[in-house]
Amino acid sequence: MSQDQTPQVEETKKAAAAAVEDAKQRATEAATQAEQSMTSKAGTAQNAVADGLRTAGDKLGSLGENEGVVGDLAEKASEGLAHASEWVAKRDPDAMLTDVKTFAKRKPWVAAGIAVGALMVLNRITRALTGGSKKR
């Protein structure tokens, strides 16, 4: 390499280093913005879940006014949903996700059973609220 090219090489190295540093800074800013956006969306979804649980609990609570086994079961389910709603509303989304993952790792079959049971209950509630109509 000639001596005339050495300053150009040094300038190119400096420009490349500056470009890399700028790219790192922009990537960090983008990651921070994405994290803030996801945290905000998670908080919104968490509030929606808590509200949904509270509403379902209230609706089941009205069934709890019936006498007998159905009333007792509805009352217990209503209390459980109210407790779950409070738990969801008070938890940090990251902590809640960690708790759920830990539980699912410890007891995968129980977690799967809970998920299936929850889907069945939600299906029944949805059918009851919509008058039992099915889409065809």
Side-chain angles (χ1 to χ4, degrees):
M1 217 185 300
S2 69
Q3 285 185 338
D4 292 340
Q5 289 180 345
T6 303
Q8 291 174 342
V9 170
E10 290 301 318
E11 270 185 52
T12 303
K13 285 182 181 179
K14 287 180 183 176
V20 167
E21 196 59 40
D22 184 50
K24 284 181 185 177
Q25 184 178 2
R26 289 177 188 248
T28 301
E29 289 172 1
T32 301
Q33 287 177 348
E35 182 180 356
Q36 289 171 347
S37 175
M38 293 301 285
T39 300
S40 173
K41 288 179 182 177
T44 302
Q46 182 178 357
N47 289 337
V49 168
D51 289 344
L53 289 170
R54 192 175 304 112
T55 301
D58 291 345
K59 290 188 185 289
L60 280 174
S62 67
L63 293 175
E65 296 170 0
N66 297 333
E67 292 184 26
V69 176
V70 173
D72 292 343
L73 289 175
E75 185 64 33
K76 296 242 187 252
S78 175
E79 290 171 7
L81 288 172
H83 179 70
S85 173
E86 289 175 24
W87 184 83
V88 168
K90 291 179 181 178
R91 300 291 293 185
D92 175 49
D94 291 334
M96 192 166 39
L97 183 60
T98 302
D99 289 347
V100 170
K101 284 181 179 179
T102 302
F103 180 79
K105 284 180 183 177
R106 281 187 297 127
K107 299 181 179 186
W109 291 107
V110 173
I114 290 171
V116 169
L119 287 174
M120 290 172 59
V121 168
L122 289 174
N123 184 30
R124 298 280 183 182
I125 291 171
T126 302
R127 282 189 181 175
L129 294 175
T130 60
S133 63
K134 291 184 181 179
K135 289 185 177 180
R136 294 180 194 238

